[in-house]
Amino acid sequence: MAALQEFFLVWFPLVVQSGMHLVFISCLAGKRLKLGYCGGYLLLACTMQSYLLSIAGMLLALCLLARFPLGLKWSVSGVAALLSVYVSQVSFGMVNSLESILFPALVGRDVLFLLVILATLLALALCGGCYWLLLQKLSLGDTVYRPDLWLLLLPSLFLFTAELYILQTAYAYLAPGPSEPGKHLLLFLLQVLGLVVLLCTLYAYQRVCAGLEAQQALSALTLAAQAQKNYVSEASLRYEKTRSFRHDLKNHLSVLDGLLQTGAVEEARAYLDKLEATASALSFPIQTGEAAVDTLLGEKLTLARDCEIETTVSLVLPRDGTVDALDWCVIFANALDNAVQASLLVEGRRTLSLRGERQGDFYHLDFENACLPGPMPPLGVGLSNIKAVAEKYHGAMLAEKEDTRFRLNVLLNISEQPDDSSRQSH
Protein backbone atom coordinates (compact mmCIF):
# COMPACT_ATOMS: atom_id res chain seq x y z
CA MET A 1 0.00 0.00 0.00
CA ALA A 2 2.84 2.38 0.83
CA ALA A 3 4.49 1.69 -2.55
CA LEU A 4 1.19 2.39 -4.33
CA GLN A 5 0.77 5.66 -2.47
CA GLU A 6 4.32 6.71 -3.31
CA PHE A 7 3.74 5.93 -6.98
CA PHE A 8 0.51 7.93 -7.29
CA LEU A 9 1.55 10.80 -5.05
CA VAL A 10 5.19 11.21 -6.12
CA TRP A 11 6.36 9.40 -9.24
CA PHE A 12 3.22 9.57 -11.38
CA PRO A 13 2.73 13.36 -11.11
CA LEU A 14 6.48 13.94 -11.47
CA VAL A 15 6.75 11.97 -14.71
CA VAL A 16 3.56 13.44 -16.21
CA GLN A 17 4.56 16.94 -15.13
CA SER A 18 8.02 16.55 -16.71
CA GLY A 19 6.48 15.29 -19.93
CA MET A 20 4.17 18.31 -20.01
CA HIS A 21 7.19 20.58 -19.54
CA LEU A 22 8.79 19.11 -22.66
CA VAL A 23 5.61 19.28 -24.76
CA PHE A 24 5.00 22.89 -23.71
CA ILE A 25 8.58 23.95 -24.48
CA SER A 26 8.54 22.33 -27.93
CA CYS A 27 5.11 23.80 -28.79
CA LEU A 28 6.19 27.23 -27.58
CA ALA A 29 9.26 27.07 -29.82
CA GLY A 30 7.34 25.55 -32.73
CA LYS A 31 9.84 22.68 -32.99
CA ARG A 32 10.07 19.02 -32.00
CA LEU A 33 12.46 17.65 -29.40
CA LYS A 34 14.33 14.42 -30.08
CA LEU A 35 13.50 11.39 -27.97
CA GLY A 36 16.98 11.25 -26.43
CA TYR A 37 16.68 14.75 -24.94
CA CYS A 38 13.24 13.93 -23.53
CA GLY A 39 14.58 10.77 -21.86
CA GLY A 40 17.49 12.67 -20.35
CA TYR A 41 15.21 15.32 -18.90
CA LEU A 42 12.84 12.73 -17.38
CA LEU A 43 15.80 10.92 -15.84
CA LEU A 44 17.08 14.17 -14.34
CA ALA A 45 13.65 14.99 -12.87
CA CYS A 46 13.31 11.54 -11.30
CA THR A 47 16.79 11.43 -9.76
CA MET A 48 16.68 14.80 -7.99
CA GLN A 49 15.84 14.18 -4.32
CA SER A 50 15.73 17.71 -2.88
CA TYR A 51 12.72 19.81 -3.92
CA LEU A 52 14.70 23.01 -4.43
CA LEU A 53 17.45 21.11 -6.23
CA SER A 54 14.83 19.46 -8.42
CA ILE A 55 13.30 22.83 -9.38
CA ALA A 56 16.71 24.34 -10.11
CA GLY A 57 17.67 21.31 -12.19
CA MET A 58 14.44 21.48 -14.16
CA LEU A 59 14.91 25.17 -14.89
CA LEU A 60 18.50 24.70 -16.03
CA ALA A 61 17.71 21.62 -18.11
CA LEU A 62 14.72 23.27 -19.82
CA CYS A 63 16.73 26.41 -20.52
CA LEU A 64 19.54 24.37 -22.10
CA LEU A 65 17.08 22.29 -24.11
CA ALA A 66 15.43 25.43 -25.47
CA ARG A 67 18.79 27.06 -26.22
CA PHE A 68 20.66 24.28 -28.00
CA PRO A 69 18.42 21.52 -29.46
CA LEU A 70 15.63 24.00 -30.27
CA GLY A 71 17.99 26.86 -31.22
CA LEU A 72 16.27 29.65 -29.25
CA LYS A 73 18.09 32.67 -27.88
CA TRP A 74 19.14 32.76 -24.22
CA SER A 75 16.46 35.28 -23.27
CA VAL A 76 13.78 33.27 -25.04
CA SER A 77 15.03 30.04 -23.46
CA GLY A 78 14.93 31.60 -19.98
CA VAL A 79 11.36 32.84 -20.44
CA ALA A 80 10.23 29.45 -21.80
CA ALA A 81 11.81 27.53 -18.89
CA LEU A 82 10.36 29.88 -16.24
CA LEU A 83 6.88 29.77 -17.74
CA SER A 84 6.96 26.00 -18.03
CA VAL A 85 7.96 25.36 -14.42
CA TYR A 86 5.90 28.21 -12.94
CA VAL A 87 2.64 27.02 -14.50
CA SER A 88 3.08 23.49 -13.18
CA GLN A 89 3.97 24.80 -9.71
CA VAL A 90 1.06 27.23 -9.49
CA SER A 91 -1.37 24.53 -10.68
CA PHE A 92 -0.31 22.18 -7.89
CA GLY A 93 -0.16 25.11 -5.46
CA MET A 94 -3.81 26.06 -6.09
CA VAL A 95 -4.91 22.45 -5.66
CA ASN A 96 -2.84 22.22 -2.46
CA SER A 97 -4.72 25.24 -1.13
CA LEU A 98 -8.05 23.55 -1.82
CA GLU A 99 -6.76 20.31 -0.24
CA SER A 100 -5.72 22.15 2.89
CA ILE A 101 -9.21 23.64 3.21
CA LEU A 102 -11.24 20.49 2.50
CA PHE A 103 -9.13 17.49 3.53
CA PRO A 104 -8.12 18.03 7.20
CA ALA A 105 -11.46 16.65 8.33
CA LEU A 106 -10.79 13.47 6.33
CA VAL A 107 -7.39 12.67 7.83
CA GLY A 108 -7.29 9.03 8.92
CA ARG A 109 -10.14 7.93 6.66
CA ASP A 110 -9.73 5.50 3.78
CA VAL A 111 -11.36 7.87 1.30
CA LEU A 112 -8.55 10.43 1.76
CA PHE A 113 -6.12 8.56 -0.48
CA LEU A 114 -8.63 8.42 -3.33
CA LEU A 115 -9.42 12.12 -2.98
CA VAL A 116 -5.71 13.01 -3.00
CA ILE A 117 -5.30 11.07 -6.27
CA LEU A 118 -8.25 12.95 -7.75
CA ALA A 119 -6.71 16.21 -6.59
CA THR A 120 -3.44 15.26 -8.33
CA LEU A 121 -5.31 14.55 -11.55
CA LEU A 122 -7.10 17.88 -11.18
CA ALA A 123 -3.75 19.67 -10.78
CA LEU A 124 -2.38 18.00 -13.91
CA ALA A 125 -5.52 18.91 -15.86
CA LEU A 126 -5.30 22.50 -14.61
CA CYS A 127 -1.65 22.62 -15.65
CA GLY A 128 -2.50 21.38 -19.16
CA GLY A 129 -5.27 23.97 -19.46
CA CYS A 130 -2.93 26.79 -18.39
CA TYR A 131 -0.32 25.62 -20.89
CA TRP A 132 -2.98 25.72 -23.62
CA LEU A 133 -3.95 29.27 -22.65
CA LEU A 134 -0.33 30.40 -22.71
CA LEU A 135 0.20 28.88 -26.16
CA GLN A 136 -2.79 30.89 -27.41
CA LYS A 137 -1.18 34.13 -26.18
CA LEU A 138 2.49 33.58 -26.97
CA SER A 139 4.68 31.87 -29.54
CA LEU A 140 8.44 32.07 -29.34
CA GLY A 141 9.29 30.24 -32.55
CA ASP A 142 9.50 33.47 -34.59
CA THR A 143 11.25 36.27 -32.69
CA VAL A 144 11.48 38.72 -35.60
CA TYR A 145 8.81 40.97 -34.10
CA ARG A 146 9.60 40.17 -30.45
CA PRO A 147 11.97 42.91 -29.28
CA ASP A 148 13.28 42.98 -25.71
CA LEU A 149 11.82 39.59 -24.88
CA TRP A 150 14.09 39.47 -21.84
CA LEU A 151 11.72 41.97 -20.20
CA LEU A 152 9.30 39.08 -19.71
CA LEU A 153 11.92 37.46 -17.48
CA LEU A 154 11.26 40.01 -14.72
CA PRO A 155 7.53 39.36 -14.15
CA SER A 156 7.99 35.64 -14.81
CA LEU A 157 10.81 35.42 -12.28
CA PHE A 158 8.85 37.38 -9.69
CA LEU A 159 5.76 35.18 -10.02
CA PHE A 160 7.88 32.03 -10.00
CA THR A 161 9.73 33.10 -6.83
CA ALA A 162 6.49 34.04 -5.07
CA GLU A 163 4.92 30.67 -5.93
CA LEU A 164 8.03 28.82 -4.82
CA TYR A 165 7.91 30.64 -1.48
CA ILE A 166 4.24 29.74 -1.00
CA LEU A 167 4.85 26.07 -1.75
CA GLN A 168 7.89 25.85 0.50
CA THR A 169 6.38 27.66 3.49
CA ALA A 170 2.77 26.50 3.39
CA TYR A 171 2.63 23.24 1.45
CA ALA A 172 6.01 21.56 1.84
CA TYR A 173 4.21 18.63 3.49
CA LEU A 174 0.73 17.70 4.67
CA ALA A 175 0.30 16.77 8.29
CA PRO A 176 -2.63 16.50 10.69
CA GLY A 177 -3.29 19.71 12.51
CA PRO A 178 -5.78 22.51 12.99
CA SER A 179 -7.33 23.75 9.77
CA GLU A 180 -6.77 27.38 8.73
CA PRO A 181 -9.29 27.80 5.89
CA GLY A 182 -8.96 31.59 5.81
CA LYS A 183 -5.21 31.44 5.30
CA HIS A 184 -5.40 28.79 2.60
CA LEU A 185 -8.25 30.56 0.83
CA LEU A 186 -6.15 33.73 0.75
CA LEU A 187 -3.18 31.80 -0.65
CA PHE A 188 -5.45 30.24 -3.27
CA LEU A 189 -6.70 33.65 -4.36
CA LEU A 190 -3.14 35.02 -4.49
CA GLN A 191 -2.07 32.17 -6.75
CA VAL A 192 -5.07 32.66 -9.04
CA LEU A 193 -4.27 36.37 -9.18
CA GLY A 194 -0.64 35.60 -10.05
CA LEU A 195 -1.75 33.38 -12.93
CA VAL A 196 -4.14 36.07 -14.19
CA VAL A 197 -1.37 38.68 -13.99
CA LEU A 198 0.88 36.42 -16.06
CA LEU A 199 -1.79 35.94 -18.73
CA CYS A 200 -2.48 39.69 -18.86
CA THR A 201 1.24 40.43 -19.14
CA LEU A 202 1.65 38.00 -22.02
CA TYR A 203 -1.46 39.37 -23.73
CA ALA A 204 -0.16 42.94 -23.46
CA TYR A 205 3.25 41.88 -24.79
CA GLN A 206 1.61 40.04 -27.68
CA ARG A 207 -0.40 43.13 -28.58
CA VAL A 208 2.77 45.25 -28.57
CA CYS A 209 4.49 42.74 -30.89
CA ALA A 210 1.46 42.66 -33.19
CA GLY A 211 1.50 46.46 -33.30
CA LEU A 212 5.18 46.52 -34.22
CA GLU A 213 4.61 43.90 -36.90
CA ALA A 214 1.69 45.87 -38.34
CA GLN A 215 3.75 49.08 -38.24
CA GLN A 216 6.62 47.44 -40.10
CA ALA A 217 4.24 45.97 -42.69
CA LEU A 218 2.57 49.37 -43.11
CA SER A 219 5.95 51.03 -43.61
CA ALA A 220 6.84 48.47 -46.25
CA LEU A 221 3.52 48.99 -48.01
CA THR A 222 3.96 52.76 -47.87
CA LEU A 223 7.40 52.51 -49.44
CA ALA A 224 6.09 50.12 -52.07
CA ALA A 225 3.20 52.43 -52.89
CA GLN A 226 5.56 55.39 -53.14
CA ALA A 227 7.83 53.41 -55.44
CA GLN A 228 4.88 52.49 -57.65
CA LYS A 229 3.82 56.15 -57.82
CA ASN A 230 7.34 57.02 -58.92
CA TYR A 231 7.07 54.42 -61.68
CA VAL A 232 3.75 55.90 -62.77
CA SER A 233 5.21 59.42 -62.78
CA GLU A 234 8.27 58.31 -64.72
CA ALA A 235 6.14 56.46 -67.24
CA SER A 236 3.86 59.45 -67.70
CA LEU A 237 6.89 61.70 -68.26
CA ARG A 238 8.29 59.26 -70.79
CA TYR A 239 5.02 59.16 -72.67
CA GLU A 240 4.87 62.96 -72.69
CA LYS A 241 8.35 63.07 -74.19
CA THR A 242 7.30 60.48 -76.75
CA ARG A 243 4.25 62.52 -77.60
CA SER A 244 6.40 65.63 -78.01
CA PHE A 245 8.84 63.70 -80.20
CA ARG A 246 6.04 62.49 -82.42
CA HIS A 247 4.69 66.03 -82.64
CA ASP A 248 8.08 67.26 -83.88
CA LEU A 249 8.58 64.29 -86.18
CA LYS A 250 7.30 66.26 -89.21
CA ASN A 251 9.92 68.93 -88.57
CA HIS A 252 12.66 66.30 -88.26
CA LEU A 253 11.61 64.77 -91.56
CA SER A 254 11.70 68.19 -93.18
CA VAL A 255 15.27 68.73 -91.94
CA LEU A 256 16.30 65.32 -93.31
CA ASP A 257 14.64 66.07 -96.64
CA GLY A 258 16.46 69.38 -96.87
CA LEU A 259 19.85 67.76 -96.12
CA LEU A 260 19.31 65.06 -98.71
CA GLN A 261 18.23 67.57 -101.37
CA THR A 262 21.43 69.55 -100.85
CA GLY A 263 23.51 66.37 -101.08
CA ALA A 264 24.62 66.47 -97.43
CA VAL A 265 24.34 62.70 -97.02
CA GLU A 266 26.76 62.41 -94.12
CA GLU A 267 25.02 65.18 -92.20
CA ALA A 268 21.67 63.49 -92.88
CA ARG A 269 23.04 60.16 -91.62
CA ALA A 270 24.36 61.79 -88.44
CA TYR A 271 21.03 63.53 -87.90
CA LEU A 272 19.20 60.24 -88.43
CA ASP A 273 21.45 58.49 -85.88
CA LYS A 274 20.55 61.14 -83.31
CA LEU A 275 16.86 60.65 -84.04
CA GLU A 276 17.26 56.88 -83.64
CA ALA A 277 19.05 57.30 -80.31
CA THR A 278 16.30 59.63 -79.08
CA ALA A 279 13.60 57.17 -80.16
CA SER A 280 15.39 54.26 -78.44
CA ALA A 281 15.68 56.20 -75.20
CA LEU A 282 11.94 56.87 -75.26
CA SER A 283 10.87 53.31 -76.08
CA PHE A 284 10.33 50.53 -73.52
CA PRO A 285 12.21 47.21 -73.78
CA ILE A 286 8.98 45.49 -72.68
CA GLN A 287 5.69 46.89 -73.95
CA THR A 288 2.58 45.66 -72.17
CA GLY A 289 0.26 48.59 -72.77
CA GLU A 290 0.59 49.82 -69.17
CA ALA A 291 3.03 52.73 -68.94
CA ALA A 292 3.89 52.14 -65.27
CA VAL A 293 4.41 48.41 -65.78
CA ASP A 294 6.59 49.02 -68.86
CA THR A 295 8.80 51.37 -66.86
CA LEU A 296 9.06 49.00 -63.93
CA LEU A 297 9.79 45.93 -66.04
CA GLY A 298 12.40 47.82 -68.01
CA GLU A 299 14.22 48.80 -64.82
CA LYS A 300 13.97 45.39 -63.11
CA LEU A 301 14.94 43.33 -66.15
CA THR A 302 17.85 45.64 -66.94
CA LEU A 303 19.06 45.16 -63.36
CA ALA A 304 18.72 41.38 -63.74
CA ARG A 305 20.73 41.35 -66.96
CA ASP A 306 23.39 43.57 -65.40
CA CYS A 307 23.69 40.89 -62.68
CA GLU A 308 24.24 38.26 -65.40
CA ILE A 309 20.83 36.68 -64.92
CA GLU A 310 19.33 35.15 -68.07
CA THR A 311 15.83 36.54 -68.46
CA THR A 312 12.91 35.19 -70.47
CA VAL A 313 9.72 37.23 -70.77
CA SER A 314 6.44 36.28 -72.41
CA LEU A 315 3.83 38.73 -71.24
CA VAL A 316 0.63 40.23 -72.60
CA LEU A 317 -1.48 42.17 -70.10
CA PRO A 318 -5.25 42.54 -70.52
CA ARG A 319 -6.16 45.92 -71.95
CA ASP A 320 -9.59 46.28 -70.37
CA GLY A 321 -8.24 48.16 -67.34
CA THR A 322 -9.70 45.69 -64.82
CA VAL A 323 -6.47 45.57 -62.82
CA ASP A 324 -5.17 48.88 -61.47
CA ALA A 325 -1.68 49.90 -62.64
CA LEU A 326 -0.47 50.22 -59.03
CA ASP A 327 -1.56 46.64 -58.32
CA TRP A 328 0.33 45.38 -61.36
CA CYS A 329 3.40 47.21 -60.07
CA VAL A 330 3.05 45.68 -56.59
CA ILE A 331 3.04 42.20 -58.10
CA PHE A 332 5.89 42.69 -60.56
CA ALA A 333 8.11 44.78 -58.27
CA ASN A 334 7.97 42.38 -55.32
CA ALA A 335 8.16 39.21 -57.40
CA LEU A 336 11.11 40.40 -59.49
CA ASP A 337 12.97 41.85 -56.49
CA ASN A 338 12.69 38.51 -54.69
CA ALA A 339 13.71 36.61 -57.83
CA VAL A 340 16.81 38.78 -58.43
CA GLN A 341 17.89 38.57 -54.76
CA ALA A 342 17.50 34.78 -54.72
CA SER A 343 19.34 34.39 -58.05
CA LEU A 344 22.30 36.47 -56.85
CA LEU A 345 23.00 33.83 -54.17
CA VAL A 346 23.36 31.11 -56.81
CA GLU A 347 26.76 30.28 -58.23
CA GLY A 348 26.79 29.28 -61.87
CA ARG A 349 23.93 29.76 -64.27
CA ARG A 350 21.28 32.21 -63.10
CA THR A 351 17.89 32.24 -64.77
CA LEU A 352 14.66 34.16 -64.39
CA SER A 353 11.52 33.66 -66.43
CA LEU A 354 8.25 35.58 -66.47
CA ARG A 355 5.13 34.40 -68.26
CA GLY A 356 1.66 35.89 -68.22
CA GLU A 357 -1.46 35.01 -70.15
CA ARG A 358 -5.20 35.30 -69.97
CA GLN A 359 -7.13 32.12 -69.26
CA GLY A 360 -10.82 32.84 -69.70
CA ASP A 361 -11.98 35.09 -66.88
CA PHE A 362 -8.63 34.76 -65.10
CA TYR A 363 -5.15 36.09 -65.69
CA HIS A 364 -2.24 33.83 -64.75
CA LEU A 365 1.28 35.03 -63.94
CA ASP A 366 4.16 32.61 -63.53
CA PHE A 367 7.56 33.65 -62.11
CA GLU A 368 10.39 31.12 -61.96
CA ASN A 369 13.99 31.67 -60.87
CA ALA A 370 17.08 29.85 -59.66
CA CYS A 371 17.66 29.65 -55.90
CA LEU A 372 19.72 27.88 -53.28
CA PRO A 373 18.66 24.38 -52.21
CA GLY A 374 16.94 24.02 -48.85
CA PRO A 375 13.53 24.34 -47.23
CA MET A 376 10.85 26.76 -48.36
CA PRO A 377 11.57 30.22 -46.85
CA PRO A 378 8.84 31.85 -44.72
CA LEU A 379 6.36 34.20 -46.35
CA GLY A 380 7.98 37.64 -46.33
CA VAL A 381 6.52 41.12 -46.71
CA GLY A 382 6.95 41.09 -50.50
CA LEU A 383 5.00 37.87 -51.02
CA SER A 384 2.43 39.01 -48.46
CA ASN A 385 1.84 42.13 -50.58
CA ILE A 386 1.39 40.00 -53.70
CA LYS A 387 -1.01 37.71 -51.86
CA ALA A 388 -3.05 40.73 -50.73
CA VAL A 389 -3.36 41.94 -54.34
CA ALA A 390 -4.38 38.46 -55.53
CA GLU A 391 -7.07 38.23 -52.85
CA LYS A 392 -8.24 41.74 -53.72
CA TYR A 393 -9.07 40.45 -57.22
CA HIS A 394 -10.64 37.25 -55.81
CA GLY A 395 -7.66 35.22 -56.91
CA ALA A 396 -4.86 33.32 -55.21
CA MET A 397 -1.08 33.09 -54.88
CA LEU A 398 0.96 29.90 -54.70
CA ALA A 399 4.70 29.79 -53.91
CA GLU A 400 6.50 26.48 -54.31
CA LYS A 401 10.12 25.36 -54.22
CA GLU A 402 11.73 22.30 -55.74
CA ASP A 403 15.45 21.75 -55.18
CA THR A 404 17.11 24.80 -56.81
CA ARG A 405 14.02 26.25 -58.49
CA PHE A 406 11.53 28.68 -56.97
CA ARG A 407 8.19 29.23 -58.64
CA LEU A 408 5.52 31.81 -57.91
CA ASN A 409 2.04 31.60 -59.42
CA VAL A 410 -0.44 34.48 -59.22
CA LEU A 411 -4.02 34.11 -60.40
CA LEU A 412 -6.31 37.14 -60.76
CA ASN A 413 -10.01 37.15 -61.53
CA ILE A 414 -10.34 39.83 -64.21
CA SER A 415 -14.00 39.24 -64.95
CA GLU A 416 -15.13 41.71 -62.29
CA GLN A 417 -13.87 44.85 -60.59
CA PRO A 418 -12.63 44.57 -56.98
CA ASP A 419 -14.56 46.16 -54.15
CA ASP A 420 -13.96 49.87 -53.54
CA SER A 421 -12.82 49.08 -49.99
CA SER A 422 -10.13 46.78 -51.26
CA ARG A 423 -9.09 49.31 -53.90
CA GLN A 424 -8.28 51.81 -51.20
CA SER A 425 -6.11 49.37 -49.26
CA HIS A 426 -3.19 49.64 -51.73
Side-chain angles (χ1 to χ4, degrees), residues 170-183:
Y171 306 117
Y173 59 90
L174 292 177
S179 176
E180 299 180 88
K183 167 189 171 183

Side-chain angles (χ1 to χ4, degrees), residues 96-159:
N96 283 341
S97 298
L98 296 177
E99 286 179 321
S100 300
I101 295 173
L102 302 175
F103 290 180
L106 302 175
V107 173
R109 299 184 183 183
D110 294 336
V111 73
L112 178 62
F113 176 60
L114 178 60
L115 293 177
V116 171
I117 293 178
L118 292 177
T120 301
L121 295 177
L122 175 62
L124 292 173
L126 179 61
C127 181
C130 292
Y131 281 149
W132 180 82
L133 281 176
L134 290 182
L135 290 174
Q136 304 306 306
K137 301 298 180 185
L138 185 66
S139 174
L140 303 179
D142 179 16
T143 57
V144 176
Y145 300 109
R146 305 197 181 281
D148 300 328
L149 186 64
W150 61 269
L151 290 175
L152 286 180
L153 283 171
L154 300 178
S156 301
L157 187 60
F158 171 77
L159 293 172

